[in-house]
Amino acid sequence: TAPSTILPSNLTPVPKYCPLDNPHCKRHGLLAFQLVSLLNLSYLGLLGVYTFFISKRALNELPQTPQGRYFGNVLTEGRVLLPEADWICAVIVIFQGWDFVVSMFFEEHCTRIMMCHHFLAFICGFFCLVYEVNPFYAVYIGGVSEFSSIFLCISQFFQFCPPASLVSPSSSYVLPILHLLSAIEAFSQIMFVISFLMFRIVGWAYLSYLLCKDGSYIMKHGLCRRYSPGSGWFLWYLLACSLGLGALQVFWVRGIVNKVLEVMNGN
């Protein structure tokens, strides 16, 4: 069988995303949206995990003090201690700005919560670059926490196009490919739950506590005026976002738990 017959020539999304009474509905734009999101989230998540846990540059290159974690990239003139933080923030600005605009054209993604999330994240990334602050926390919040989103993006793709819809009935490899795609879907769902709990619940709670502790020290000693004049408001903004988005993670985890229970009950 030729490779071209592995995928069906007429890919039809599930009725949830394409009404059955519209035979011309393809939603290729939604597929492209998922692909672009996957590429960006993979970059952020993998770079964040590598910098924070594997190379540990976020821990080793920055002084592990309130000043080092928040002002690390401006403590030494002419030398950026953690360029990975700038790379992550730059991608956040580009991706979240793009996501905010493009989501307006997809009802599945254009929700109040997600649009607010995109806007808040864009502001965080943009002013981290403007004031050259927050490298330690940027790597975790903007990078590591997005690791779970990689698996969410893959799972969402399979919701749009279930494994059975991706395999051509005329292919000689229907069952092996179907089993492989089903395994990828199951693996993505499991990894999403595990990584979400690890990085967005447990890890986020600890990093938020540490950020609040560092922020309190910085404000008490007036360090913003010394190292980054005019950025005092942004520290308050980051503290509020850390707590607010942390509460959003808890809200999301309720939905995840309910979904897991549905799967376990066979619904």
Side-chain angles (χ1 to χ4, degrees):
T1 304
S4 60
T5 63
I6 294 177
L7 291 177
S9 58
N10 234 345
L11 183 60
T12 304
V14 294
K16 179 181 178 181
Y17 301 98
C18 264
L20 292 174
D21 58 357
N22 184 1
H24 302 293
C25 180
K26 298 299 178 185
R27 300 300 303 276
H28 290 161
L30 187 57
L31 281 173
F33 181 96
Q34 291 298 120
L35 178 59
V36 173
S37 297
L38 178 60
L39 292 175
N40 282 276
L41 293 170
S42 295
Y43 177 86
L44 292 171
L46 294 174
L47 179 59
V49 168
Y50 176 80
T51 305
F52 207 90
F53 293 108
I54 300 176
S55 70
K56 297 185 178 180
R57 282 177 49 79
L59 298 169
N60 298 331
E61 295 297 323
L62 297 172
Q64 290 305 299
T65 62
Q67 301 97 311
R69 285 186 287 265
Y70 191 74
F71 299 107
N73 277 350
V74 296
L75 291 178
T76 55
E77 295 184 6
R79 177 170 175 252
V80 177
L81 297 179
L82 194 65
E84 293 91 336
D86 288 344
W87 303 342
I88 286 174
C89 286
V91 173
I92 287 174
V93 170
I94 296 170
F95 175 58
Q96 296 295 348
W98 172 86
D99 209 347
F100 183 89
V101 174
V102 177
S103 291
M104 297 179 186
F105 301 95
F106 299 98
E107 59 180 348
E108 295 86 1
H109 298 285
C110 191
T111 64
R112 291 180 181 179
I113 290 179
M114 290 310 300
M115 297 301 277
C116 287
H117 172 271
H118 298 326
F119 178 77
L120 295 175
F122 176 89
I123 296 296
C124 285
F126 182 78
F127 283 101
C128 278
L129 292 173
V130 170
Y131 294 126
E132 299 182 89
V133 295
N134 204 39
F136 179 80
Y137 298 101
V139 168
Y140 189 93
I141 295 175
V144 174
S145 67
E146 294 293 8
F147 186 75
S148 63
S149 300
I150 299 173
F151 302 105
L152 175 61
C153 200
I154 297 173
S155 297
Q156 286 178 332
F157 174 81
F158 283 115
Q159 289 177 11
F160 178 68
C161 295
S165 70
L166 298 172
V167 184
S168 173
S170 62
S171 172
S172 302
Y173 310 101
V174 172
L175 287 180
I177 295 175
L178 185 59
H179 291 158
L180 175 61
L181 293 176
S182 298
I184 293 174
E185 180 184 22
F187 175 78
S188 299
Q189 293 171 343
I190 293 170
M191 285 300 299
F192 169 65
V193 174
I194 294 174
S195 57
F196 189 96
L197 293 175
M198 286 177 56
F199 299 140
R200 285 186 176 263
I201 300 298
V202 178
W204 190 289
Y206 173 73
L207 265 291
S208 293
Y209 163 76
L210 193 59
L211 176 59
C212 289
K213 187 177 177 182
D214 287 352
S216 177
Y217 179 90
I218 290 168
M219 289 184 285
K220 180 179 179 180
H221 293 84
L223 297 182
C224 283
R225 292 191 299 272
R226 177 180 177 184
Y227 293 114
S228 184
S231 68
W233 72 270
F234 183 56
L235 176 55
W236 281 105
Y237 176 85
L238 286 176
L239 293 173
C241 279
S242 176
L243 297 175
L245 293 176
L248 181 60
Q249 318 289 356
V250 176
F251 172 78
W252 279 338
V253 83
R254 290 176 57 193
I256 294 172
V257 171
N258 290 335
K259 189 66 176 179
V260 170
L261 292 176
E262 286 181 13
V263 173
M264 291 178 64
N265 292 331
N267 295 332

